[in-house]
Amino acid sequence: MPHRTQETARIAPSDPLLPRPGLADFVRSLFRTLEQERVRNCALQGWEEFPEQSQEEFELDLAVHPDDRSGLHSAIDRLGEDGYRLVQQLNYSVRASALTFAWFENLTLKTARVDFVFEPPKNRQKTRNLWIADPAVAFTCTLLKNVAKGSISARDERRIGMLTKKLGRTRAGGIAAELFGKRIAEQVVEACREGNLEKLLKRLKPSFTWRQLLQKPSRALRFSWSDALRRIQRWKQPAGLSLVLLGPDGVGKSTLVNGMMSSLSPIFCGAHVSHWRPGVVVPIRDGDKSAENPHDDPTRSAFVSILYLFGFCMDFWVGYAVRIRPQLSRTKLVIFDRYYYDLLVDQVRYRYSGPKWLLRFLLHFIPGREQVVLILDAPENVILSRKRQLTLAELQRQRVDYRNLTKTLNNSHIIETQHGIEQALAAACRVVTEHLGRRLKIRRADSLITRPSQISGGSL
């Protein structure tokens, strides 16, 4: 049975995600806390944009000494105290992790991603009050990070190309030969120089693995075991999020869905929107979607309603296993515009005339323990000015019943939408980021940062 919680989402004065000075302040706070916690680090790339430029999708790559993981853990906690909440941790290998931090500037959610590669930062130099990596270290770490990911961004492609030219063919080839073997080293250097490394990545990972296994078998086996545990943990504790939006027609669900997909995109690796249910066992038909007036359709008989209900429940169960859970494990944001919970409020919409106790009983078995449920609400006159599908009496009843769901559903929050999309979107994003932050605090006890063999999170 879901736990009972209730919260109306508003941006309170004590909220740690209040307006911050900006990205430059985050970067300063990051390097200051790393210095205070004595975390040996050096910037691989991204430091060139600091602090003069503030890109919308700023990314910073850092090499951190593997022995300083506990200090990094403490530095992240101190950043949270400064208002920069850790909301996402994506571990794409035992040696590398991407952390996303979030804060608010006025009503706008801002994020910054920092990629950590756990390698000793050798031959580093200090400039602009931060440590900069030697080109050879930057080349090695950036190359290994993208090999682990199995893909490379245009930004990293350009960066590796510049590093290759700075090092020269001979030195870059020596590094590539040490990592992947002499046979393929020349191809790696040429691909880096020409910006075609993407085509080689699938061949490089097994080459690196076999080379490590031959040179350092015990260490390679430990890493392989840790990586297997990471993949299992990624399924057990996915880094994606299932989000449900409920509320009467006209309250602003569609507008908020679009806004959240845009605002939360830097935190997740894609988004998927479903209407009401997965649609795997029982396909979604036009009759399932919002009609001009969904209350105009006649209800089914009690017997047929129960048959449909069990079919829908089967769709939730099977659809979660074969469609929703895999997306969550791939760090996707899965948004449901309505969900099973909608049946508890509006049976007429779904043409249900069976017993209500059955709806409440089956609720115990519907997947959704880790969902975030947003119940959108606004005064009747505001909703009726947008859509006039329901009578005033029916709308009043639905508003009361939707708000009462917070007494039943776990992690449910009321979002007021009468003040405009900006405030509603800020409140909704605040709920999501707080949830992600709390979830990470629980998982980080056995995460990559504290125990490299016990990793939680998703994959890039």
Side-chain angles (χ1 to χ4, degrees):
M1 179 70 182
H3 300 290
R4 298 183 178 183
T5 62
Q6 181 176 5
E7 177 181 344
T8 300
R10 297 184 179 91
I11 299 181
S14 59
D15 184 2
L17 295 187
L18 282 176
R20 306 298 305 170
L23 180 61
D25 183 75
F26 164 75
V27 178
R28 291 190 189 96
S29 297
L30 171 65
F31 283 107
R32 183 177 64 250
T33 54
L34 291 176
E35 192 77 19
Q36 291 170 345
E37 296 298 330
R38 299 182 180 180
V39 177
R40 289 165 288 180
N41 71 92
C42 63
L44 303 174
Q45 59 176 318
W47 59 270
E48 300 93 339
E49 292 86 9
F50 168 72
E52 290 83 0
Q53 300 179 28
S54 296
Q55 300 176 359
E56 286 298 319
E57 296 185 1
F58 176 83
E59 293 181 8
L60 179 67
D61 287 11
L62 294 179
V64 170
H65 199 289
D67 295 338
D68 294 343
R69 295 172 188 264
S70 60
L72 180 57
H73 189 286
S74 300
I76 290 171
D77 289 338
R78 295 183 68 163
L79 281 171
E81 295 172 1
D82 289 342
Y84 301 107
R85 177 177 288 135
L86 178 64
V87 295
Q88 187 62 281
Q89 177 176 329
L90 307 180
N91 305 312
Y92 39 79
S93 82
V94 178
R95 302 180 182 210
S97 182
L99 306 185
T100 302
F101 298 84
W103 67 94
F104 275 86
E105 294 179 10
N106 296 320
L107 295 178
T108 303
L109 176 65
K110 296 292 184 179
T111 60
R113 195 178 97 170
V114 183
D115 282 10
F116 291 94
V117 179
F118 294 100
E119 294 288 342
K122 301 175 182 178
N123 303 324
R124 58 180 183 166
Q125 299 175 354
K126 198 161 190 178
T127 180
R128 294 187 185 176
N129 295 320
L130 60 137
W131 291 101
I132 304 302
D134 176 83
V137 174
F139 176 77
T140 303
C141 292
T142 306
L143 190 56
L144 286 177
K145 181 192 76 170
N146 287 284
V147 168
K149 289 169 59 176
S151 62
I152 186 169
S153 65
R155 169 178 167 269
D156 279 355
E157 193 90 75
R158 291 192 300 270
R159 178 63 175 167
I160 288 181
M162 289 189 296
L163 289 169
T164 306
K165 294 173 183 177
K166 181 179 291 187
L167 291 170
R169 286 182 180 273
T170 303
R171 195 176 178 193
I175 295 172
E178 185 177 346
L179 294 175
F180 310 112
K182 293 181 180 180
R183 291 184 179 181
I184 200 173
E186 187 175 341
Q187 296 181 50
V188 172
V189 173
E190 192 62 30
C192 290
R193 288 177 63 89
E194 299 298 327
N196 297 320
L197 187 60
E198 179 85 38
K199 299 177 181 178
L200 275 181
L201 289 179
K202 290 184 179 179
R203 293 173 56 190
L204 294 181
K205 189 168 186 177
S207 297
F208 177 76
T209 302
W210 279 110
R211 190 164 180 80
Q212 292 294 306
L213 185 61
L214 292 174
Q215 293 181 342
K216 303 173 183 178
S218 60
R219 184 185 180 192
L221 289 173
R222 287 199 307 271
F223 275 125
S224 297
W225 173 249
S226 298
D227 193 60
L229 292 177
R230 175 185 68 86
R231 294 177 183 275
I232 294 172
Q233 198 73 358
R234 185 176 65 190
W235 181 266
K236 290 174 59 179
Q237 296 182 337
L241 178 67
S242 179
L243 184 65
V244 173
L245 272 67
L246 302 175
D249 287 324
V251 79
K253 292 189 298 295
S254 299
T255 304
L256 191 59
V257 165
N258 294 332
M260 296 192 75
M261 288 179 65
S262 176
S263 297
L264 298 173
S265 60
I267 300 175
F268 300 97
C269 300
H272 175 78
V273 180
S274 292
H275 176 77
W276 185 38
R277 53 188 176 81
V280 173
V281 176
V282 183
I284 299 288
R285 297 186 175 87
D286 291 341
D288 296 320
K289 301 178 181 179
S290 298
E292 185 66 26
N293 191 339
H295 285 204
D296 287 344
D297 295 330
T299 57
R300 302 181 179 97
S301 67
F303 177 73
V304 174
S305 294
I306 292 174
L307 290 180
Y308 267 90
L309 177 62
F310 278 101
F312 294 149
C313 288
M314 184 66 68
D315 190 39
F316 281 107
W317 299 327
V318 176
Y320 179 81
V322 304
R323 178 174 294 177
I324 306 304
R325 187 74 178 194
Q327 292 188 82
L328 296 178
S329 69
R330 294 194 293 269
T331 322
K332 296 288 185 69
L333 173 64
V334 179
I335 301 178
F336 279 94
D337 178 2
R338 302 186 182 277
Y339 198 66
Y340 177 89
Y341 317 132
D342 217 39
L343 269 168
L344 302 175
V345 174
D346 192 0
Q347 294 89 40
V348 177
R349 168 183 287 273
Y350 303 101
R351 303 172 62 187
Y352 179 81
S353 63
K356 292 185 179 181
W357 65 263
L358 184 59
L359 296 175
R360 294 190 292 270
F361 174 75
L362 292 175
L363 174 64
H364 295 261
F365 307 99
I366 298 298
R369 290 184 178 180
E370 296 185 355
Q371 286 177 332
V372 174
V373 181
L374 303 181
I375 299 174
L376 278 57
D377 191 35
E380 290 87 358
N381 64 315
V382 175
I383 296 176
L384 291 174
S385 67
R386 299 169 180 168
K387 284 188 179 181
R388 304 191 66 87
Q389 293 181 338
L390 305 175
T391 64
L392 178 61
E394 173 63 15
L395 184 56
Q396 290 173 335
R397 181 195 69 80
Q398 286 193 16
R399 285 191 65 207
V400 172
D401 288 352
Y402 275 121
R403 295 183 76 96
N404 284 338
L405 286 178
T406 58
K407 302 174 183 177
T408 304
L409 301 180
N410 179 44
N411 203 11
S412 57
H413 310 263
I414 297 172
I415 304 294
E416 307 284 357
T417 65
Q418 69 268 26
H419 302 298
I421 181 60
E422 288 189 0
Q423 291 197 31
L425 180 59
C429 288
R430 169 181 170 269
V431 167
V432 170
T433 52
E434 286 183 347
H435 171 80
L436 294 174
R438 288 193 301 268
R439 187 175 74 176
L440 271 181
K441 280 188 176 181
I442 296 173
R443 294 181 178 182
R444 277 171 54 210
D446 294 320
S447 71
L448 171 64
I449 295 174
T450 52
R451 296 181 188 174
S453 63
Q454 300 285 330
I455 302 170
S456 65
S459 65
L460 290 176

